[in-house]
Amino acid sequence: MAQLTLDELRKKRKEAQKEIYLREGKYKSKIIVHMGTCGIAAGAREIVSAFLGEIEILPEKDVMLTTSGCAGLCSMEPMATVELLNLPSVKYGHLTPDKVRRVFKEHILGGNIVTEYAIGIGSEKGG
Amino acid sequence: MLCTGTGCVAGGAFRIKETLENEIQKQGLEKEISVIITGCNGFCGQGPLLVVQPDEIFYGFLNPEDIPFLVQEHFLKGRPVKKLMFTPPEKKEPIPLLSEIPFFKKQMLVVLRNKGIIDPEKIDDYVARDGYTALEKVLISMTPDEVIDEITRSGLRGRGGAGFPTGTKWKICRTEQKTPKYIICNCDEGDPGAYMDRSVFESDPHTVIEGMILGAYAIGVSRGYIYARTEYPLAIKRMDLAISHARDYGLLGENILGTDFSFNLEIREGSGAFVCGEETSLIHSIEGKGPEPRQRPPFPAEFGIWDCPTVINNVETWANVPVIINRGADWFSKIGTETSKGTKIFSLVGKINNTGLIEVPMGITLREVVYDIGGGIPDDKKFKAVQTGGPSGGCIPYSMIDVPIDYESLTNAGSMMGSGGMIVMDEDTCMVDVAKFFIQFTNDESCGKCTTCRDGSDALLEVLTNITNGNGKEGDLEFLEEAGNAIKDASMCGLGTTLPNPVLSTLKYFRDEYEAHIKESMCPALVCKNLIKYYILPEKCTGCRLCLKNCPPGAIKGELKHIHIIDQSKCTKCGTCLDVCPTKVSAIIKVSGKETEKITGIEEPYPVKRREKEIKK
Amino acid sequence: MTEKVGAVAVLGGGISGMQAALDLAESGLKVYLVDNKPSIGGVMAQLDKTFPTNDCAMCTMAPRLVEIGRHKDIEIITLSDIEKIEGEAGNFKVILNKKPRYLNEEKCTGCGTCITNCPTRNKVQPLEKTKVELEPQYEEKVLEIIKINKDREGPLMAILQQINSAFNYLPENVLKYVSQEVGYPLSHILMIATFYSSFSLVPRGKHVINVCMGTACYVKGSERLMERLSDVLEIKENETTPDMLFTLKSVRCIGCCGLAPAAMIGDNVYGKLSTKDIPGIIEKYKTMG
């Protein structure tokens, strides 16, 4: 890729924002699996493949699956954050592939938060 | 009211503010509507956010382009804009707001603002969260001196532990005549129990890169190194990827963003030597020399890598730089205490309910960290101490739990800030054993250059080993103190001068535990193997054979439905029996000191039924 | 007590050698005290005080020096190297190589004038080197690694790291080869190779098990994990199983403190381990081969 100039960087930012804030585009929900070393050690890879398996069988691929770094609360790993369009995100902890399938069905497809596994809703406070 | 928490600022809150004010002015509404900046409300995932009072209408996911429409519709015509409205979640109890959960509530995310939100392997994610805007700002509107000045005014101090003012360090290096100059990011996070740097690399590598580019611009440097531990393969992989992405975008390399400023960055790996976290030793390691520290001064800022002026900063220090540039020194210096500004990341681990990585403002008390954020000690055990600062730090006892966390207070308490490991210990931790553990560590990692460090740690270790083996004698404690202070005075680098700290601080606060080991041959925490014994309580054993089957040395005698006994001469005190004994039975106990004499075991296994008969009688 | 026969050679005339010689001579044995330096005394003769007791070094040493010089049963042989030792306990034969002094020891006063006036004193005297050859399968790989890194600043670390991961350890021949090709003295390479804990000079197993001994893991009982592993694998720490499958090591901290106690097998991290999990995990790797 060619080097960017200042203006091009700004343009790039705007485009990227669309994706990260889940505003426009084809996706209506987004799953973030937290994959730092500790997440992986606790089994985050299995969680990713479980989510992938569920997305695979969807007729419409409107669920975005992405990974991210450690979410901080290592004792609850593996964790994932689920975001539906225009709704606050929900963090799930202590996940297993079975729990993943339930979260996928009830929350992502059905829109109902699986309260038993949820740690909290919204996001953390910034400075 | 416009949220300007770190999350929303990263999402572009300030640009929203600008457009909002312009638009309001355009419509002539200045008198009726005022834009107020607020702190974070916790819905950062939806940021940038806006709340319109008095109607309490939430707008989320704002873009500057939305503002004119919003102002026209809502403020002029009084119609709230549905499309932009943020729908508050339905109140369904057991799910609390994340920002209200104690673990998150007292934290303040500055360096970790992007953790868990962006994909660290995509540069676009970082750019979207206002990444590299600080770089834009600096390249367009700030001179190098202004950047240094901003950092100096912010009061940022080295996050590696020693707390040297970052701005001053940069200035020294900038004023050096000799060229070329270098900058280095120290990610040789050797302290056991600390993993902040790894986490920053793994969750947001670009913030470190941006910080380093800014530093390079300010100091006048065109080459930089990142020195990372080889024990962190994932962190290195992500950082490597991030560097190549930044290079693709022209954020690293020649003529950055079309200006005449150039900067190159490369990763160097360590190979597992604790002392390489020391800056002069780290430089030697990159150069391929024997990684022993050398005498300072001259400091690396004057005489560093390849004998050129070099600024070495910790990962967290670099990661703070873009935020300071973006939000200003004034904002940053409002956080924290008089002498320690900003936030600090700690890895809160050990015997604590919520283990994890936390970022808190300086000045928060240990009590808040342990009990509010950490959620207290598991299984209702008693809190004993917090160990901070890794092998160079000390243990802070319960009596000092209200000490505020800043550089000076921790040093006064006999510990130090260190890189940010915070290990909580409960009543089951033996302080003598912990001291021995750290001395073993430093003894192993001492490079061997100074006699005091090399042989002194040997001497300390020998005495500590004697004590934990039950062979301690009168005068041992005095010797530990004397030798400890001698090592402190006579060693050269940070490793040697701080290595006695764990011993000295535990001696100061937990002398009674040492004395119990020496005088009564007792380990109050039931840890030291030579001083404890395992017993099976005859009145509780059900004869299930679980412990018998699992005992590695085969020291347990018994048969099904017979009360088991441990052959003390064979027992290696591995504790497996205690682990496998079902909790509802819990027939196995550990005892130490005089207690061992009180327990009278049985001689031979006998049927459980016989005991029941005896009880009936 | 039986009468003592024979003689004892004490090799090294430092403070410990001196004391040993004295004790032996006092017990009635003939002692030869050998040192490769021109005089006995060793390092302690250069010190002011000794650690940790802060005793005066010379006060400790001087009486022994005098006593040795006077003892009828101690013969001092300086400037001598050991050429060969043969025999067995109780009957050794030691062949020494006494370096020439080119002066009459009887008359020398130790003034040092000859040293300062020696015309060849500061000339470098190169050693003759024999060329190291590698087996072809090694050579290709090593040359490639050297080629990638040669032009970087400070290439040695990277070269050693890559060799270490390519062969799973640092073979002696390869190090000699690197020394010859890149131009670092072998002593320097060995200094680096032995300094860092992730380098190994002996072959390691296919799976390196690193038990984390960081503080968090330690207080949560990683020592017991190590014991259990050592039981199951029937090797001690830093050893390799005979089938070359496993090497057991401890590591300082793998930064997985939230999941303490942890261990790393290869690049895979296992968190929240208990001694009960260990046999199963090892079995899994064994079937994998």
Side-chain angles (χ1 to χ4, degrees):
Chain A
M1 187 185 295
Q3 287 201 345
L4 302 183
T5 61
L6 277 172
D7 289 332
E8 282 163 353
L9 179 66
R10 288 186 187 144
K11 215 180 282 163
K12 199 112 212 159
R13 177 170 304 120
K14 228 167 255 167
E15 274 165 34
Q17 274 165 352
K18 282 181 194 161
E19 188 151 302
I20 196 168
Y21 293 119
L22 202 66
R23 293 209 45 185
E24 286 154 51
K26 55 180 181 160
Y27 296 110
K28 69 171 193 322
S29 51
K30 180 172 167 184
I31 307 163
I32 305 174
V33 182
H34 299 282
M35 285 180 71
T37 297
C38 27
I40 293 173
R45 287 225 172 89
E46 279 175 38
I47 303 304
V48 171
S49 45
F51 272 123
L52 271 180
E54 291 297 314
I55 294 173
E56 201 66 13
I57 48 177
L58 276 189
E60 267 176 83
K61 306 279 182 273
D62 54 0
V63 178
M64 189 193 337
L65 181 68
T66 140
T67 58
S68 175
C70 175
L73 193 51
C74 303
S75 47
M76 296 255 199
E77 299 278 8
M79 291 165 71
T81 306
V82 173
E83 241 178 89
L84 296 186
L85 192 62
N86 291 333
L87 280 175
S89 54
V90 177
K91 268 199 175 57
Y92 290 101
H94 288 310
L95 285 172
T96 62
D98 282 336
K99 289 183 185 176
V100 162
R101 283 184 270 279
R102 223 188 113 189
V103 167
F104 198 84
K105 223 173 246 140
E106 294 182 20
H107 187 178
I108 297 170
L109 301 182
N112 299 313
I113 298 170
V114 186
T115 47
E116 297 102 287
Y117 312 147
I119 301 171
I121 193 167
S123 41
E124 291 176 55
K125 251 199 269 191
Chain B
M1 295 208 283
L2 185 71
C3 169
T4 54
T6 317
C8 289
V9 170
F14 281 125
R15 282 201 315 274
I16 303 279
K17 181 178 173 249
E18 247 170 67
T19 21
L20 193 58
E21 279 170 345
N22 284 342
E23 202 56 36
I24 289 172
Q25 217 163 16
K26 234 190 260 170
Q27 306 288 352
L29 294 168
E30 308 98 304
K31 283 181 194 147
E32 286 148 63
I33 297 164
S34 54
V35 179
I36 301 167
I37 292 174
T38 67
C40 182
N41 66 15
F43 284 100
C44 307
Q46 278 64 47
L49 275 170
L50 183 68
V51 185
V52 181
Q53 298 285 16
D55 332 358
E56 284 244 351
I57 289 171
F58 261 73
Y59 290 110
F61 295 116
L62 291 172
N63 249 340
E65 295 91 87
D66 299 329
I67 299 298
F69 183 65
L70 187 139
V71 170
Q72 224 162 29
E73 283 290 302
H74 189 156
F75 299 143
L76 225 52
K77 301 182 185 157
R79 288 198 297 245
V81 187
K82 282 236 172 74
K83 184 176 82 136
L84 300 170
M85 232 153 79
F86 163 72
T87 343
E90 255 178 85
K91 284 259 157 49
K92 255 198 216 162
E93 271 313 310
I95 314 173
L97 283 180
L98 207 61
S99 52
E100 290 300 317
I101 297 173
F103 178 79
F104 296 109
K105 194 176 174 184
K106 295 225 167 168
Q107 293 196 46
M108 182 168 180
L109 302 181
V110 173
V111 174
L112 297 177
R113 63 195 178 281
N114 289 330
K115 77 161 184 198
I117 296 174
I118 65 166
D119 185 338
E121 297 185 359
K122 289 189 194 140
I123 186 170
D124 282 348
D125 276 19
Y126 179 71
V127 170
R129 301 268 298 166
D130 266 16
Y132 294 108
T133 44
L135 180 63
E136 280 178 31
K137 183 173 171 184
V138 158
L139 289 179
I140 295 171
S141 62
M142 287 170 91
T143 65
D145 284 320
E146 280 168 4
V147 177
I148 293 186
D149 191 49
E150 195 74 13
I151 298 294
T152 312
R153 281 199 306 119
S154 75
L156 177 66
R157 293 170 66 177
R159 294 291 191 249
F164 191 82
T166 307
T168 315
K169 199 190 258 181
W170 290 15
K171 193 159 211 156
I172 294 172
C173 190
R174 177 163 178 81
T175 45
E176 276 299 310
Q177 296 298 316
K178 193 169 175 182
T179 51
K181 297 169 186 173
Y182 294 89
I183 57 175
I184 297 176
C185 170
N186 183 351
C187 182
D188 190 56
E189 188 176 44
D191 281 8
Y195 58 106
M196 297 75 48
D197 297 351
R198 173 179 69 75
S199 196
V200 172
F201 269 34
E202 280 174 15
S203 56
D204 196 7
H206 284 286
T207 186
V208 180
I209 298 179
E210 189 178 3
M212 290 188 77
I213 303 174
L214 294 170
Y217 176 78
I219 302 161
V221 172
S222 58
R223 287 288 299 276
Y225 297 98
I226 290 175
Y227 187 88
R229 293 180 80 196
T230 181
E231 285 90 336
Y232 292 169
L234 185 68
I236 293 174
K237 189 187 126 210
R238 290 203 173 145
M239 181 49 88
D240 214 24
L241 203 65
I243 289 178
S244 69
H245 286 164
R247 205 168 281 144
D248 285 346
Y249 273 22
L251 299 165
L252 281 173
E254 307 302 313
N255 301 63
I256 290 173
L257 290 176
T259 62
D260 55 5
F261 165 59
S262 303
F263 178 60
N264 272 304
L265 195 55
E266 70 175 287
I267 300 187
R268 290 293 174 104
E269 269 179 62
S271 269
F274 178 68
V275 75
C276 289
E278 202 277 343
E279 53 184 13
T280 55
S281 171
L282 186 154
I283 288 173
H284 289 159
S285 177
I286 295 182
E287 290 173 329
K289 295 182 186 159
E292 290 172 353
R294 63 161 173 79
Q295 191 70 266
R296 295 177 303 173
F299 288 94
E302 298 155 352
F303 193 84
I305 193 161
W306 323 117
D307 300 343
C308 296
T310 306
V311 164
I312 299 189
N313 277 130
N314 177 264
V315 172
E316 208 185 324
T317 319
W318 289 118
N320 265 302
V321 173
V323 191
I324 294 174
I325 297 298
N326 256 335
R327 307 193 60 181
D330 294 329
W331 169 81
F332 189 82
S333 60
K334 273 189 204 127
I335 312 169
T337 65
E338 192 59 38
T339 51
S340 310
K341 305 292 186 198
T343 58
K344 174 81 190 86
I345 311 178
F346 287 99
S347 59
L348 187 61
V349 292
K351 306 280 186 72
I352 188 133
N353 275 320
N354 302 330
T355 54
L357 206 67
I358 58 168
E359 183 169 2
V360 290
M362 296 271 193
I364 191 170
T365 63
L366 265 182
R367 181 189 296 278
E368 287 174 277
V369 170
V370 173
Y371 285 99
D372 296 343
I373 297 177
I377 317 291
D379 304 330
D380 285 326
K381 297 249 163 110
K382 248 169 63 196
F383 171 90
K384 191 181 241 171
V386 174
Q387 206 279 345
T388 65
S392 322
C395 292
I396 299 170
Y398 185 76
S399 59
M400 301 186 76
I401 196 168
D402 285 312
V403 77
I405 298 174
D406 61 54
Y407 291 99
E408 280 71 22
S409 309
L410 287 180
T411 310
N412 289 341
S415 183
M416 68 185 278
M417 179 75 86
S419 57
M422 207 176 252
I423 296 128
V424 181
M425 297 169 186
D426 68 1
E427 53 189 334
D428 288 347
T429 315
C430 169
M431 300 316 279
V432 186
D433 189 55
V434 167
K436 188 182 98 184
F437 165 77
F438 280 116
I439 297 300
Q440 221 160 23
F441 178 91
T442 32
N443 179 262
D444 227 36
E445 293 294 342
S446 166
C447 72
K449 190 167 182 168
C450 310
T451 323
T452 43
C453 173
R454 184 186 64 231
D455 293 353
S457 55
D458 272 350
L460 293 182
L461 186 59
E462 194 187 321
V463 174
L464 287 169
T465 311
N466 281 342
I467 297 178
T468 51
N469 284 344
N471 301 326
K473 52 185 189 300
E474 290 286 318
D476 273 356
L477 301 187
E478 288 71 23
F479 174 80
L480 286 179
E481 273 167 343
E482 199 191 327
N485 285 320
I487 297 170
K488 228 176 178 170
D489 290 343
S491 301
M492 190 179 71
C493 80
L495 185 110
T497 50
T498 54
L499 87 86
N501 278 353
V503 180
L504 295 178
S505 75
T506 46
L507 259 179
K508 188 167 158 198
Y509 299 121
F510 300 97
R511 209 182 178 92
D512 50 334
E513 258 186 58
Y514 281 85
E515 280 166 355
H517 278 79
I518 296 174
K519 290 180 185 154
E520 296 162 38
S521 294
M522 180 173 113
C523 175
L526 303 172
V527 172
C528 300
K529 281 192 174 174
N530 277 15
L531 303 179
I532 56 166
K533 278 183 179 165
Y534 286 87
Y535 283 102
I536 299 174
L537 293 173
E539 62 270 26
K540 283 191 174 169
C541 181
T542 60
C544 69
R545 296 183 71 232
L546 253 181
C547 54
L548 186 146
K549 276 185 278 181
N550 282 296
C551 179
I556 296 179
K557 280 197 284 187
E559 46 192 290
L560 193 65
K561 305 273 184 204
H562 279 55
I563 292 169
H564 296 1
I565 45 176
I566 298 175
D567 183 348
Q568 297 294 342
S569 61
K570 283 190 192 161
C571 177
T572 56
K573 290 156 190 172
C574 66
T576 309
C577 48
L578 192 69
D579 290 343
V580 295
C581 189
T583 30
K584 60 177 180 202
V585 180
S586 22
I588 294 173
I589 54 161
K590 274 197 276 189
V591 284
S592 175
K594 283 180 193 143
E595 297 287 313
T596 48
E597 291 152 24
K598 285 188 201 156
I599 306 268
T600 44
I602 52 171
E603 294 294 319
E604 279 300 319
Y606 63 80
V608 176
K609 277 188 182 157
R610 204 171 96 199
R611 181 188 70 201
E612 280 159 7
K613 273 181 205 158
E614 275 166 23
I615 293 170
K616 271 179 196 162
K617 274 180 203 167
Chain C
M1 222 170 127
T2 54
E3 198 171 310
K4 302 248 164 103
V5 289
V8 179
V10 174
L11 309 179
I15 183 71
S16 34
M18 285 158 62
Q19 184 63 42
L22 273 174
D23 290 345
L24 287 163
E26 283 299 308
S27 74
L29 288 162
K30 167 81 182 174
V31 177
Y32 296 97
L33 181 56
V34 185
D35 202 305
N36 64 347
K37 298 270 160 49
S39 68
I40 59 168
V43 176
M44 200 164 180
Q46 302 162 356
L47 299 180
D48 173 24
K49 289 191 173 57
T50 52
F51 183 81
T53 47
N54 267 1
D55 284 334
C56 159
M58 202 32 90
C59 318
T60 317
M61 208 176 82
R64 290 175 176 83
L65 273 178
V66 175
E67 244 177 277
I68 288 175
R70 277 206 295 238
H71 208 288
K72 67 174 172 50
D73 285 339
I74 300 179
E75 189 179 329
I76 302 171
I77 309 172
T78 51
L79 262 188
S80 299
D81 288 327
I82 316 291
E83 187 109 297
K84 202 168 171 191
I85 300 181
E86 51 193 33
E88 56 185 6
N91 184 19
F92 283 108
K93 193 171 175 190
V94 181
I95 299 173
L96 296 177
N97 179 12
K98 194 163 181 186
K99 292 174 213 159
R101 292 200 185 220
Y102 301 111
L103 51 81
N104 189 339
E105 282 177 61
E106 301 285 297
K107 289 185 179 167
C108 174
T109 59
C111 67
T113 317
C114 53
I115 296 179
T116 42
N117 289 322
C118 177
T120 59
R121 188 167 67 102
N122 291 326
K123 286 216 180 111
V124 179
Q125 322 231 325
L127 290 169
E128 267 181 51
K129 274 187 189 165
T130 45
K131 199 163 158 45
V132 185
E133 306 237 348
L134 281 182
E135 291 147 43
Q137 76 266 33
Y138 281 101
E139 189 166 19
E140 195 184 336
K141 185 83 201 153
V142 175
L143 274 178
E144 191 192 317
I145 292 172
I146 293 176
K147 201 177 141 203
I148 302 171
N149 295 297
K150 204 167 184 177
D151 297 323
R152 296 169 84 179
E153 287 165 309
L156 187 55
M157 278 294 281
I159 292 176
L160 292 185
Q161 277 160 353
Q162 286 166 23
I163 291 173
N164 195 47
S165 60
F167 304 121
N168 224 355
Y169 78 111
L170 300 171
E172 190 184 335
N173 245 354
V174 172
L175 291 186
K176 283 184 182 156
Y177 188 79
V178 170
S179 156
Q180 166 190 300
E181 295 298 311
V182 192
Y184 282 97
L186 185 62
S187 59
H188 181 83
I189 293 180
L190 282 175
M191 189 247 279
I192 304 281
T194 50
F195 195 96
Y196 296 98
S197 61
S198 59
F199 293 145
S200 169
L201 294 178
V202 289
R204 288 185 290 193
K206 192 172 164 202
H207 307 289
V208 179
I209 305 176
N210 276 309
V211 181
C212 180
M213 288 285 170
T215 325
C217 290
Y218 185 80
V219 298
K220 287 210 166 174
S222 58
E223 249 188 346
R224 288 181 40 210
L225 287 184
M226 182 58 106
E227 277 166 22
R228 191 84 186 98
L229 273 166
S230 158
D231 272 352
V232 171
L233 295 172
E234 294 172 356
I235 48 172
K236 290 200 195 75
E237 192 182 329
N238 291 326
E239 287 182 355
T240 303
T241 50
D243 57 5
M244 294 306 284
L245 261 184
F246 298 100
T247 297
L248 186 57
K249 283 182 72 187
S250 67
V251 65
R252 276 322 170 196
C253 182
I254 51 178
C256 225
C257 317
L259 295 170
M264 218 165 141
I265 303 183
D267 273 348
N268 291 328
V269 179
Y270 291 84
K272 290 188 180 161
L273 277 174
S274 116
T275 46
K276 281 182 259 176
D277 307 332
I278 290 192
I281 294 174
I282 295 300
E283 209 41 54
K284 203 181 92 194
Y285 277 89
K286 269 192 184 156
T287 45
M288 246 166 62

